[in-house]
Structure formats: structure tokens, C-alpha cells
């Protein structure tokens, strides 16, 4: 079922204004400033155009600059003279201009910016569509996108009023917040006197909670993403779903009535709902039999079109469910989920390690094998040296030595690490702690944790009760908490943090959790005295995920909103999942 919000839940802001602003700015740039009359989608081949002017609308990436440089230089060699315009979105980078200069074409092109940083994918979901953000920041340490995040927050506060309460955790969150506040101070007059529409803002770094992103998704929307890959809020359903010889691109949002009712449901409940929906639709069609001419006319003009549309969508989602079931049965999904739950709970670690070894030896999937190794590493605070070497060797032998650099990336990002041989870090901390005061010992522990990028998952899980204790079976039809998004086995850490901070209205009482997350200096609260904030706006919460968020986290927070009377808005650098996370770290491109 769809999550019905409580009658006192606040209304969501209308984000159509963001689309209009972006569209108007682009039209002005293309038509008024650059006189563009035709658009080409550039893949690998250069666009064929006899126009005397070429305009490129591009992301600020080095490979795009090389592409443009090759095209301009080819024109030069052919003796052709044209005007070239490059429009960067969402912003222009100095590095891109340097490449154009190196290629000798900087004087031949003129550059502009289209500050399109927010794409509304749904009524409560905004995306910056920056999938590269995760690798650029969390692996390469490149801070170039932080300004884009700050500009996006500034745009939202300009349109929807100031944010009275702001909380954040993580280095990227802290830097984004500081830069955003500078922008607010520079343009102080824009939000002054405005009534806030959004009462709370959370900024979270993806590396605060890698575990949730690495788990297999079991809510319907998450499974659709894992199986078919949702891109910009739409999905391509192939012939196996459409029951025809053609693929079909389908928008997945609240306007799809069938999808909206099942998107947050655990997959085990979806078939039952769709069966009932099919029976209800048939009953509505069957009403025609007893109608007179006037009633039939009204039925055809008012109801038939809607019923046909609903029937089409129902057929698509039934087809998608069947396709998901076939693929998951083939992969022995139940055994996979069982292994993941054992890793989360800290039971049967040796059996889980054996399962991963078998997974590698059978060459099921290089990405899936990496994901399971990373999940084992993070939940166990790193692999013991013997297991690390064994798994790494088996992986390279099974999938090829070209994956060696990927292991280096995963280690640097803290996703796949090896426990220190001999003296473990915990033992070292213990020895040093005896020689200093308690306060100094805490700082030393923080330093050790930071150096090793330890996850401390077991301790955090215990502190925040991430593994629910249930007598008997967990009822997935009537979920009791956010753990339902992982079959009742685990509450997403990111969502639990938000729940706890909202209850306390600060990080007070969560000092130990923050320390275990290695974020003692990186958790902040920014509360402005805002008398104009209504009780309704204080129940509207913007959650900003830096590095990507999963559909499981979105579903979990929608559930929390229903239970507590909140409404959540999600802003993410991109929607992600375990496969995208691993692909971002991989040096071997599929």
C-alpha cells in the first residue's frame, strides 16, 4: 500500500518552479545569446551539421573537452571556419578551460554557464544528477562539486525561505554548509523577512553509512533500480516486461498511480497487491454490462480512458515483478540475503566468508563479489590479514589481475580494508590509554580510528539498536519500524541518525555515536532564532545526501514520516545503489 500521511502532515512545496527557472534560463542562453536553432545528442560520432555555428551543452569533464577539441581541430585541418560555443552545466571549471588552452583552441571557443543544479524527479525527490560526485570526492578528494551543492542549497533557501535548523555530519557536509552560509551572508537581503517553508535540513556524507548502500534492496522501487537501472526518474522496460518486441521508457513517480502504491512496499507484498488491483479493475470494467446508453456514454467519456491507462501500468508492473522474480531465483537471492543478514548481525562469519569465496570461484559477478567483500570488511572493522589475502588472491585469479587497482581504490575509500597484523588497533589504544588521562585517551582513539578508516559498525549498531530484536517472525505486511526495508533485519544507519537527532533537536546525547563514526569534529548544529517558523514548516524536513542515496533509505524515511507526522524532501547528488557504488570504485569499466 502507499503510505497515507497523517491529516496533520505538512504539504510539500511545489518544485515545478525549479523546472521553469532552469528551462527559461536555458532557452535564453540558447536562443537569445547563442542563436541556436537545432539540438543534437552527441554520443561517440561528431554531429553532422552544415551550420556556421556549433553550440555544445556539456558537463565540465575533461573527456568532453578533448571531444570538442578534436572536432574543432578537425574543422581547422579541413579549412572550415565556424563559431564554437561551449555551455557548461552546472558550472564552469578552470581545469576544463586549461584543457582547451592545451589543445590550442581556447581562442576559438566562447564559454558560458547554465546553473542547472536541481532536477525534480518526483514530488519529494530532487537530484543534482552528479553520479561522479562520489568518486571525485570520496576517492580522489576533489572538492570541485562542493560549490555546486552550496549553490543548490542557496537556491532552495531563496525560493522557499530560510532554514531555521540545520544539522550535518561528515567532512563534505561541513564544507558544503560553511560555503552555503557564506553565500547566504553575501546575499543577506534575499531571504530576510521570509517565512520558512522547510523547518529542518540534514546534510549527510555517504561515507558515514556505507553499509546501507551495500545491502541488497528489497523494497519494490529499490529492486526495480537494482534490476533495470532507474535513470533520471525513468526506466527502460525491455521486451521481457512489455510482452512485445519493443522496449518502453516509463517515468516512475507519484503520477503513476499503480507504482505510487507499491513503490515503498517490501517485495513480498507486491504480487498480492497487484492481484487485488487487477480484480478491482476487472470489476470496474464489468460494470458496463448493466448500463443503459446514457450511463455507457458517461462511462466512456469520464472513466474508460483512466481505466485503460491504469490497466496498461498494471500490466507493466506485473511484467516487471515477474522479470525480477526470474532473475532473483536464478541468482539464489534468498541465500544471498541470508548471508547479508548474518554479516549485519555478526553471526556465522566463517560460513559467510565461505559463501563469498564460493561466489568468487563460481564467477557469478565481479561487482557482486566485491560488494560482499566490502560488506564483510565494514561490518567486521576490516578483514583479518589471512582472509584479506585469500579473498583478494582468489578474486584476481577468478576475474583477472586488471582489478588490482580497484582493490587499492577500495582500501583508500575505507570500503575494503585489512586489520593491522600483530598488535590490533584496539590493543594499541588500550596500551596507550593506560598512560594518559581519559580525555586524552578519547582523542588518541579518535586519531587511531581516523588513520585506519575504521567503521566501528558493531559498536554503532549496538548503540543505535540497528538490529531489531523481534519475538517470532517480523511482520512485513504491517511493518513496525524502518527495518522493514531490509526484511526486518536492519534499520538503515543514516535514517536512524536522522530519527535520533530529530528527537533531540541536536547531537546532544549522541557524542559516543559521533565518535564511533570518526566524526567528532565533523558533526554540527546550526540553529537560527526564527520566530516566523510555523509548526507546519517545522515538520517539513530536507535531507541532503552527499555521495548518493538509495531508494531503500527514501522508503525508510517516508515510513518514519508517516509514523511521526513529518514530511521528508530528499536532495541527493545522485540516486545510487550497491552496483553504482562499486562501479565508481572500479578501474575496470564494463
Amino acid at each position: 500500500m502507499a503510505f497515507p500521511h497523517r491529516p496533520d502532515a505538512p504539504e510539500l512545496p511545489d518544485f515545478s518552479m525549479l523546472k521553469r527557472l532552469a528551462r527559461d534560463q536555458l532557452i535564453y542562453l540558447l536562443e537569445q545569446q547563442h542563436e541556436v536553432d537545432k539540438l543534437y545528442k552527441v554520443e561517440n560520432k561528431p554531429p553532422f551539421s552544415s551550420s556556421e555555428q556549433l553550440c555544445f551543452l556539456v558537463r565540465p569533464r575533461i573527456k568532453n573537452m578533448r571531444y570538442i577539441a578534436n572536432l574543432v581541430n578537425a574543422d581547422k585541418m579541413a579549412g572550415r571556419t565556424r563559431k564554437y560555443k561551449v555551455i557548461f552545466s552546472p558550472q564552469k571549471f578552470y581545469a576544463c578551460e586549461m584543457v582547451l588552452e592545451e589543445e590550442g583552441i581556447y581562442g576559438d571557443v566562447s564559454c558560458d554557464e547554465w546553473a542547472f543544479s536541481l532536477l525534480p524527479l518526483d514530488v519529494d525527490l530532487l537530484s543534482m544528477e552528479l553520479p561522479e560526485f562520489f568518486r571525485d570526492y570520496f576517492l580522489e578528494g576533489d572538492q570541485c562539486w562542493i560549490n555546486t551543492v552550496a549553490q543548490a542549497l542557496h537556491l532552495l533557501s531563496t525560493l522557499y525561505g530560510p532554514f531555521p535548523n540545520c544539522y550535518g555530519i561528515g567532512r563534505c557536509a561541513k564544507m558544503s554548509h560553511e560555503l552555503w552560509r557564506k553565500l547566504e551572508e553575501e546575499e543577506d537581503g534575499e531571504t530576510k523577512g521570509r517565512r520558512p517553508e522547510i523547518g529542518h535540513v540534514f546534510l549527510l556524507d555517504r561515507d558515514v553509512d556505507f553499509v546501507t548502500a551495500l545491502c541488497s534492496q528489497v523494497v519494490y522501487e529499490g529492486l526495480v533500480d537494482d534490476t533495470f537501472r532507474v535513470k533520471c526518474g525513468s526506466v527502460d522496460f525491455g521486451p521481457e516486461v512489455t510482452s512485445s518486441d519493443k522496449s518502453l521508457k516509463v517515468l516512475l513517480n507519484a503520477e503513476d498511480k499503480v507504482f505510487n502504491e507499491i513503490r515503498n512496499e517490501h517485495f513480498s507484498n507486491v504480487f498480492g497487491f497487484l492481484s487485488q488491483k487487477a480484480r478491482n479493475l476487472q470489476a470496474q470494467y464489468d460494470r458496463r454490462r448493466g448500463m443503459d446508453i446514457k450511463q455507457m456514454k458517461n462511462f466512456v467519456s469520464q472513466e474508460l480512458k483512466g481505466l485503460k491507462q491504469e490497466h496498461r501500468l498494471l500490466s507493466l508492473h506485473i511484467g516487471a515483478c515477474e522479470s525480477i522474480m526470474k532473475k532473483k531465483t536464478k541468482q539464489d537471492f534468498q541465500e544471498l540475503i541470508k548471508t547479508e543478514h548474518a554479516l549485519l548481525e555478526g553471526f556465522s562469519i566463517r560460513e559467510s566468508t565461505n559463501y563469498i569465496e564460493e561466489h568468487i570461484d563460481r564467477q557469478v559477478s565481479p561487482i557482486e563479489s566485491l560488494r560482499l567483500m566490502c560488506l564483510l570488511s565494514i561490518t567486521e572493522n576490516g578483514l583479518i590479514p589471512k582472509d584479506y589475502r585469500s579473498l583478494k588472491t582468489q578474486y584476481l585469479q577468478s576475474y583477472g589481475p586488471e582489478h588490482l587497482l580497484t582493490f587499492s581504490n577500495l582500501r583508500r575509500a575505507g570500503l575494503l580494508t585489512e586489520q593491522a597484523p600483530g598488535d590490533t588497533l584496539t590493543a594499541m589504544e588500550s596500551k596507550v590509554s593506560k598512560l594518559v588521562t581519559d580525555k586524552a585517551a578519547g582523542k588518541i582513539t579518535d586519531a587511531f580510528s581516523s588513520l585506519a578508516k575504521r567503521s566501528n559498525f558493531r559498536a554503532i549498531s549496538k548503540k543505535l539498536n540497528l538490529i531489531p530484536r523481534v519475538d517470532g517472525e517480523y511482520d512485513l505486511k504491517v511493518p513496525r519500524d524502518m527495518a522493514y526495508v531490509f526484511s526486518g533485519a536492519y534499520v538503515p544507519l543514516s535514517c536512524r541518525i536522522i530519527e535520533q537527532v530529530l528527537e533531540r533537536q541536536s547531537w546532544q546525547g549522541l557524542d559516543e555515536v559521533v565518535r564511533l563514526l570518526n566524526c567528532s569534529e565533523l558533526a554540527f548544529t546550526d540553529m537560527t532564532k526564527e520566530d516566523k517558523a510555523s509548526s507546519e514548516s517545522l515538520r517539513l524536513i530536507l535531507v541532503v545526501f552527499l555521495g548518493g542515496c538509495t531508494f531503500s533509505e527514501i522508503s525508510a524515511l517516508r515510513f518514519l514520516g508517516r509514523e511521526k507526522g513529518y514530511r521528508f524532501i530528499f536532495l541527493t547528488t545522485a540516486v545510487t545503489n550497491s552496483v553504482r557504488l562499486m562501479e565508481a570504485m572500479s578501474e575496470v569499466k564494463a
Side-chain angles (χ1 to χ4, degrees):
M1 313 292 135
F3 288 160
H5 283 278
R6 288 168 22 168
D8 61 342
E11 289 295 313
L12 290 167
D14 180 11
F15 292 123
S16 58
M17 194 187 302
L18 290 170
K19 286 184 181 177
R20 287 197 300 272
L21 277 172
R23 184 195 61 204
D24 293 347
Q25 188 187 7
L26 182 60
I27 290 170
Y28 174 74
L29 274 172
L30 294 177
E31 293 183 0
Q32 303 297 319
Q33 289 195 336
H34 300 311
E35 300 171 358
V36 174
D37 58 354
K38 195 168 184 179
L39 291 172
Y40 297 92
K41 185 178 179 183
V42 177
E43 302 289 349
N44 296 318
K45 296 179 182 177
F48 176 78
S49 173
S50 58
S51 173
E52 293 305 305
Q53 174 175 297
L54 285 181
C55 184
F56 301 92
L57 177 61
V58 295
R59 287 288 196 201
R61 295 172 184 151
I62 301 298
K63 69 173 184 178
N64 290 339
M65 298 306 100
R66 304 270 185 222
Y67 173 87
I68 293 168
N70 290 340
L71 205 143
V72 174
N73 286 325
D75 275 357
K76 280 182 180 179
M77 290 185 73
R80 182 164 196 172
T81 306
R82 289 201 253 207
K83 287 182 181 177
Y84 305 96
K85 313 276 184 180
V86 181
I87 302 174
F88 294 96
S89 178
Q91 68 183 85
K92 180 169 60 179
F93 290 151
Y94 176 68
C96 292
E97 293 180 304
M98 285 295 292
V99 172
L100 295 176
E101 194 170 339
E102 283 171 13
E103 295 286 341
I105 65 158
Y106 188 68
D108 300 301
V109 302
S110 58
C111 300
D112 214 330
E113 276 186 0
W114 179 38
F116 178 47
S117 55
L118 292 171
L119 176 65
L121 298 180
D122 210 337
V123 290
D124 60 353
L125 177 59
L126 302 169
S127 175
M128 299 175 72
E129 288 305 303
L130 294 173
E132 61 266 52
F133 185 104
F134 178 72
R135 183 184 172 102
D136 286 353
Y137 181 81
F138 293 101
L139 178 62
E140 309 290 354
D142 189 342
Q143 299 172 11
C144 63
W145 296 115
I146 288 175
N147 180 58
T148 309
V149 174
Q151 292 285 358
L153 289 168
H154 178 59
L155 175 61
L156 286 174
S157 64
T158 303
L159 293 175
Y160 304 107
F163 304 140
N165 308 301
C166 187
Y167 317 94
I169 185 162
R171 193 174 301 279
C172 186
K174 194 167 187 179
M175 286 192 288
S176 301
H177 174 261
E178 287 169 357
L179 185 54
W180 164 48
R181 280 303 183 203
K182 281 181 186 174
L183 290 173
E184 296 282 296
E185 288 164 14
E186 286 170 12
E187 301 175 34
D188 194 32
E190 289 196 26
T191 57
K192 218 169 187 178
R194 288 280 306 275
R195 183 181 287 274
E197 288 186 43
I198 298 169
H200 302 273
V201 179
F202 281 88
L203 287 90
L204 287 100
D205 282 15
R206 181 72 273 171
D207 66 352
V208 167
D209 177 17
F210 276 141
V211 171
T212 300
L214 288 170
C215 290
S216 296
Q217 302 190 85
V218 287
V219 291
Y220 179 66
E221 191 168 14
L223 270 169
V224 168
D225 186 34
D226 283 353
T227 310
F228 304 102
R229 285 213 177 213
V230 176
K231 294 179 183 176
C232 292
S234 67
V235 65
D236 280 317
F237 284 139
E240 74 279 7
V241 174
T242 60
S243 300
S244 67
D245 56 351
K246 292 181 181 178
S247 294
L248 186 66
K249 188 183 280 286
V250 179
L251 274 175
L252 297 178
N253 56 33
E255 290 179 12
D256 181 337
K257 290 179 182 177
V258 176
F259 174 70
N260 196 43
E261 292 196 68
I262 59 176
R263 66 192 312 177
N264 303 306
E265 282 293 307
H266 189 277
F267 191 65
S268 61
N269 301 331
V270 173
F271 267 118
F273 170 82
L274 292 176
S275 300
Q276 185 58 49
K277 190 81 176 171
R279 286 194 288 272
N280 293 345
L281 265 179
Q282 190 59 51
Q284 286 179 281
Y285 274 121
D286 291 344
R287 283 174 39 228
R288 295 173 299 175
R289 291 172 185 168
M291 290 181 180
D292 57 30
I293 294 174
K294 188 178 179 182
Q295 288 172 327
M296 181 64 79
K297 186 180 177 182
N298 287 337
F299 176 79
V300 171
S301 62
Q302 294 173 17
E303 295 180 49
L304 188 59
K305 190 179 178 183
L307 287 174
K308 281 186 174 178
Q309 171 72 354
E310 209 166 333
H311 184 269
R312 186 182 72 86
L313 292 170
L314 185 63
S315 298
L316 280 173
H317 290 295
I318 289 173
C321 285
E322 288 172 343
S323 184
I324 290 168
M325 281 291 287
K326 281 179 190 172
K327 286 177 184 174
K328 296 304 177 188
T329 305
K330 193 177 177 183
Q331 293 172 1
D332 200 3
F333 194 55
Q334 290 303 320
E335 192 63 31
L336 179 68
I337 293 292
K338 185 181 169 185
T339 301
E340 285 183 25
H341 290 179
L343 291 174
L344 292 168
E345 293 167 17
F347 296 136
S348 309
I349 299 303
R350 181 41 53 197
E351 287 85 342
S352 299
T353 306
N354 292 340
Y355 175 86
I356 296 170
E357 287 177 339
E358 186 188 334
H359 198 275
I360 294 168
D361 294 340
R362 284 165 49 212
Q363 297 184 330
V364 178
S365 158
I367 290 293
E368 279 288 288
S369 297
L370 270 185
R371 176 180 76 83
L372 290 169
M373 287 163 67
C374 290
L375 191 59
L376 173 62
S377 172
I378 291 175
T379 52
E380 290 298 300
N381 283 357
L383 302 176
I384 59 173
K386 180 187 166 188
D387 283 348
Y388 181 84
R389 287 194 297 272
S390 172
L391 287 168
K392 183 178 176 181
T393 302
Q394 287 180 70
Y395 187 94
L396 295 174
Q397 287 174 347
S398 192
Y399 296 116
E402 62 271 20
H403 292 274
L404 194 59
L405 284 173
T406 301
F407 278 85
S408 173
N409 291 346
L410 293 169
R411 182 191 282 264
R412 281 165 56 200
L415 280 159
L416 184 56
T417 58
E418 182 181 4
Q419 289 177 6
D423 254 347
T424 62
L425 284 168
T426 311
M428 288 167 70
E429 290 165 28
S430 178
K431 287 175 185 177
V432 176
S433 298
K434 291 174 184 175
L435 306 174
V436 294
T437 62
D438 289 343
K439 192 173 182 181
K443 289 184 178 178
I444 288 167
T445 301
D446 289 347
F448 276 124
S449 297
S450 177
L451 283 170
K453 288 203 173 184
R454 285 171 56 191
S455 70
N456 299 313
F457 177 76
R458 292 275 170 260
I460 295 165
S461 177
K462 197 173 179 182
K463 284 275 179 192
L464 293 176
N465 192 26
L466 299 182
I467 311 297
R469 291 178 182 175
V470 183
D471 295 327
E473 277 194 30
Y474 190 97
D475 189 352
L476 293 167
K477 288 186 178 176
V478 188
R480 51 192 285 181
D481 55 26
M482 292 184 285
Y484 90 93
V485 299
F486 291 115
S487 305
Y490 164 69
V491 177
L493 171 57
S494 54
C495 304
R496 181 70 95 199
I497 288 171
I498 291 167
E499 179 188 29
Q500 293 293 310
V501 173
L502 275 174
E503 282 181 9
R504 294 167 167 79
Q505 299 286 292
S506 74
W507 292 99
Q508 195 173 357
L510 294 170
D511 300 349
E512 182 63 14
V513 171
V514 169
R515 188 184 71 77
L516 289 167
L517 287 167
N518 309 320
C519 291
S520 293
E521 305 299 321
L522 303 172
F524 59 88
T525 304
D526 182 7
M527 303 180 82
T528 55
K529 192 176 177 185
E530 189 54 73
D531 298 327
K532 293 183 180 179
S534 64
S535 60
E536 185 176 354
S537 71
L538 290 172
R539 285 180 286 112
L540 194 58
I541 300 148
L542 173 67
V543 182
V544 184
F545 287 93
L546 302 169
C549 78
T550 65
F551 283 119
S552 294
E553 288 166 309
I554 291 172
S555 292
L557 288 172
R558 283 175 180 152
F559 175 87
L560 181 66
R562 183 193 74 174
E563 295 295 296
K564 305 279 187 180
Y566 298 127
R567 289 296 288 273
F568 286 96
I569 303 164
F570 308 95
L571 167 58
T572 179
T573 50
V575 174
T576 193
N577 59 23
S578 59
V579 173
R580 292 191 189 100
L581 215 66
M582 292 295 98
E583 286 175 347
M585 292 287 118
S586 178
E587 291 296 332
V588 181
K589 302 305 170 192

